[in-house]
Amino acid sequence: MKKTAMTLISAMLAASLLLSACSKDASAPTASQAPSAPSSTTPSAPASADAGKKESANAAKVNPPGKFPIVNDKITLKVFIAGNALVENFDTNGYTKWLEDKTNIHVKWIVADVKNYKDQLNLALASGDLPDVIMNAGVSPEQQMIYGDQGTFVSFTDLIDKYGDLTKKIFQEMPEARDAVTAPGNKIYSLPYINDCYHCSLDYKMYVFKPWLDKLGLKEPTTTEEFYEMLKAFKEKDPNGNGKADEIPLVGGISASGPSKSAIDVFLMNSFIYDDGDKRMLVKDGKIDVVYNKPEWKEGLKYLNRLYKDGLLSKESFTLDKDGLKKIAENPDIAIGGAIPAHSPSDITIVEGKSNRWLDYQPIAPVKGPSGYQKSTWLAYDKIRGGHFIMTSANKYPEATMRWADAMYDFEANLYSNFGVKGSSWEPAKQGDLGRDGNPATYRLLIPFGRVQNESWAQFGLNYRTDKDWYAGQAVLKQPDKEKMYYDITKKNYEPYKPKLEEVVPPLFFPTSESQQLAELDKTINDYFKSMTARFIIGDADIEKEWNNYVGTLEKMNLKRYLEIYQKALDAKKTVKK
């Protein structure tokens, strides 16, 4: 019994390394302290290398592609899904019911906590009590390779050929989608989630409360020094006019589900050196490198520390989530928030809400740093996201699961999954309706996205949303039209400052042998640099006294080997494309 418990604990530690969220408070362990990634001998449920070859005596008879329901006799899939704060109840949800009626596939949901879903998935993977499907958990390429090699995750490759009509159509229309999700050995462990959203590709924006600029007679800042002076005015000149020093000049936030679009460093660090908002990597002359050990990064940290020391940057920037930021931006009766980094107004305000703050907060262009550097973060490959639909070896119905996933790519299914029930949240376009591109519209949106509701999965599940059909195809029913507004401001303020495509790290897969080492290095190095970034900003660590030790510690954590693994994967990708 004791031995069994120790084995389980060891497996849990290994899974924790692979899927844990980055620590914000604790100091990162050294490379020698980090737990090992799962070895190729880690026990897992039996599975073939490819789900398309899997046959089960319990498998239901699946109808051919294009015919619904998918199965005549109802089956149940156990689906693990990361929590979504905008969805009241996945069991009784309108899209859940619509999809079940269409496919005859019932879902037993395992809805993980929004903030701790990675820990819950760790436990499931470590214990062997696997769901049939893992959805919207953002499982990384490294994790896919490791668990795929062990047989815990199974490949969709053959299943797509047999049952994935819409998936194959997507791969034909967008070949880069297949390339992005295909691992070595032609294995596809994760079906792609595609959201070809223009304004989302230049996602790290800085929203400033424009009524305060107008009241104080300020222009939008164009340099880091002007940005500093703007915040100083917000702090000292009572722009909300209530006679109290309650203004918060600048505040950011964090996310438990991946990189935060409200991270305090990204927009401003791009005035010193390129910050991609995630791994903090760039490609220069074909070589991958990190930016957080460079002199320019140090200068950016010094600027952020200056904002913090002068009371212009809120200390809550390292603890607040979206809900916390929204409480600041939507503070009742009177505005208190000056500048907030975010993806869009829906992250920090109630779009089309009574306060109208969603129009008051306007995104400013990247500001120029002391050396003249000025960039915007470009998520060039973000339209194709992997790790959001994975099938495990516990699944008894791989063929039906493939067809169920494929059905989610249908345009009508996307309307249900993103907005809600037909006739309630959306309806087909009417005669004369025009989309944002001036062509006939496809659909009308009746209720704005961003509210807590129980009709849709609020952009969860699988999606195939193209900019032309999805965003331009929505009927313009009134002004201001929020999507057109987002498009126009992105084109004007952010497009001119994006990096070149060859400077952006593309999606990469790594051989299993290197994935295990990479998982350890990635967690150790990234936890450490993120922890030290926060410490340098708030002054808990003196950047002048501790910078050299910080850079040396990264080297001791084997940053060189970390970059070698990435470089090898990048070179291999280039070779395959040739």
Side-chain angles (χ1 to χ4, degrees), residues 48-296:
S48 66
D50 195 300
K53 300 174 184 176
K54 178 177 178 180
E55 298 292 340
S56 171
N58 298 318
K61 178 175 171 49
V62 178
N63 287 322
K67 183 178 179 181
F68 290 92
I70 290 171
V71 288
N72 295 327
D73 299 323
K74 184 170 288 191
I75 61 173
T76 296
L77 294 177
K78 187 164 67 170
V79 178
F80 177 101
I81 190 169
N84 188 327
L86 297 180
V87 178
E88 290 177 358
N89 190 313
F90 277 96
D91 289 316
T92 60
N93 187 272
Y95 178 47
T96 300
K97 291 182 176 181
W98 179 84
L99 193 60
E100 180 172 337
D101 290 343
K102 181 180 179 69
T103 64
N104 216 15
I105 295 176
H106 175 72
V107 175
K108 180 180 179 181
W109 293 104
I110 305 169
V111 183
D113 182 77
V114 175
K115 296 181 179 179
N116 300 311
Y117 72 89
K118 292 191 177 185
D119 292 335
Q120 290 177 246
L121 183 55
N122 290 341
L123 289 173
L125 291 169
S127 68
D129 183 17
L130 299 172
D132 297 313
V133 172
I134 299 168
M135 199 151 67
N136 301 111
V139 180
S140 73
E142 299 97 305
Q143 297 152 7
Q144 292 174 47
M145 286 292 290
I146 291 173
Y147 284 107
D149 188 61
Q150 293 173 7
T152 304
F153 297 164
V154 291
S155 174
F156 287 99
T157 307
D158 287 351
L159 289 170
I160 291 171
D161 288 339
K162 296 177 182 177
Y163 299 98
D165 280 9
L166 291 177
T167 308
K168 286 186 287 188
K169 182 180 177 183
I170 290 169
F171 287 167
Q172 290 171 355
E173 295 176 353
M174 192 180 288
E176 63 268 33
R178 176 187 279 276
D179 180 61
V181 298
T182 302
N186 196 34
K187 303 295 183 184
I188 298 176
Y189 296 116
S190 169
L191 296 174
Y193 179 107
I194 298 173
N195 178 19
D196 186 13
C197 162
Y198 172 73
H199 78 83
C200 305
S201 70
L202 292 154
D203 220 7
Y204 288 86
K205 298 178 172 70
M206 179 65 74
Y207 286 82
V208 173
F209 195 64
K210 195 171 185 304
W212 286 6
L213 290 177
D214 296 339
K215 182 175 181 179
L216 298 176
L218 299 173
K219 295 181 179 179
E220 289 185 8
T222 59
T223 67
T224 49
E225 202 56 36
E226 289 178 3
F227 188 82
Y228 174 90
E229 293 298 332
M230 177 192 74
L231 297 181
K232 197 167 185 291
F234 287 172
K235 176 181 170 62
E236 298 174 351
K237 296 185 177 181
D238 191 30
N240 66 13
N242 68 349
K244 300 177 182 179
D246 57 354
E247 289 87 356
I248 302 172
L250 172 64
V251 62
I254 62 173
S255 170
S257 59
S260 171
K261 303 304 166 58
S262 292
I264 201 62
D265 68 288
V266 186
F267 177 88
L268 290 172
M269 197 62 78
N270 273 314
S271 300
F272 299 87
I273 192 170
Y274 186 64
D275 189 333
D276 67 5
D278 187 11
K279 302 292 187 182
R280 273 65 177 190
M281 287 181 162
L282 53 73
V283 181
K284 186 175 182 180
D285 299 326
K287 300 297 181 183
I288 286 185
D289 202 355
V290 296
V291 299
Y292 45 76
N293 60 352
K294 303 295 184 289
E296 295 89 347

Side-chain angles (χ1 to χ4, degrees), residues 407-478:
M408 294 184 199
Y409 288 130
D410 177 72
F411 188 80
E412 185 178 22
N414 283 184
L415 289 169
Y416 270 90
S417 67
N418 287 278
F419 298 138
V421 176
K422 181 179 180 180
S424 174
S425 293
W426 65 274
E427 66 182 8
K430 296 183 179 180
Q431 185 72 29
D433 282 349
L434 296 179
R436 297 184 183 91
D437 59 0
N439 293 316
T442 307
Y443 68 96
R444 289 179 158 210
L445 182 60
L446 303 178
I447 299 176
F449 177 84
R451 73 200 191 286
V452 179
Q453 45 70 54
N454 205 36
E455 290 194 4
S456 77
W457 292 353
Q459 299 189 353
F460 273 28
L462 285 177
N463 272 230
Y464 181 53
R465 290 179 278 159
T466 63
D467 193 68
K468 181 180 184 300
D469 294 334
W470 184 261
Y471 294 98
Q474 186 182 119
V476 177
L477 302 179
K478 60 181 178 180

Side-chain angles (χ1 to χ4, degrees), residues 249-434:
L250 172 64
V251 62
I254 62 173
S255 170
S257 59
S260 171
K261 303 304 166 58
S262 292
I264 201 62
D265 68 288
V266 186
F267 177 88
L268 290 172
M269 197 62 78
N270 273 314
S271 300
F272 299 87
I273 192 170
Y274 186 64
D275 189 333
D276 67 5
D278 187 11
K279 302 292 187 182
R280 273 65 177 190
M281 287 181 162
L282 53 73
V283 181
K284 186 175 182 180
D285 299 326
K287 300 297 181 183
I288 286 185
D289 202 355
V290 296
V291 299
Y292 45 76
N293 60 352
K294 303 295 184 289
E296 295 89 347
W297 185 268
K298 178 183 177 182
E299 291 305 309
L301 292 175
K302 288 168 65 176
Y303 175 78
L304 286 163
N305 174 247
R306 178 189 175 198
L307 298 182
Y308 185 85
K309 284 194 303 183
D310 291 352
L312 308 180
L313 170 60
S314 172
K315 63 181 180 181
E316 292 186 298
S317 300
F318 303 98
T319 57
L320 285 176
D321 58 11
K322 280 186 182 181
D323 291 337
L325 290 176
K326 192 167 287 190
K327 286 180 181 178
I328 291 175
E330 287 285 358
N331 187 65
D333 302 323
I334 195 163
I336 60 172
I340 308 175
H343 149 69
S344 73
S346 63
D347 273 1
I348 57 176
T349 63
I350 300 172
V351 174
E352 299 183 17
K354 293 181 180 179
S355 73
N356 226 33
R357 299 257 177 88
W358 74 287
L359 291 174
D360 290 331
Y361 281 97
Q362 289 293 317
I364 63 172
V367 291
K368 188 179 296 184
S371 68
Y373 196 83
Q374 188 178 19
K375 290 289 184 185
S376 55
T377 298
W378 184 29
L379 306 178
Y381 299 96
D382 196 52
K383 66 180 180 182
I384 306 163
R385 305 172 195 172
H388 287 296
F389 195 99
I390 287 172
M391 183 162 54
T392 77
S393 56
N395 194 312
K396 298 177 181 178
Y397 311 109
E399 297 86 358
T401 299
M402 179 65 237
R403 282 213 57 203
W404 184 66
D406 194 68
M408 294 184 199
Y409 288 130
D410 177 72
F411 188 80
E412 185 178 22
N414 283 184
L415 289 169
Y416 270 90
S417 67
N418 287 278
F419 298 138
V421 176
K422 181 179 180 180
S424 174
S425 293
W426 65 274
E427 66 182 8
K430 296 183 179 180
Q431 185 72 29
D433 282 349
L434 296 179

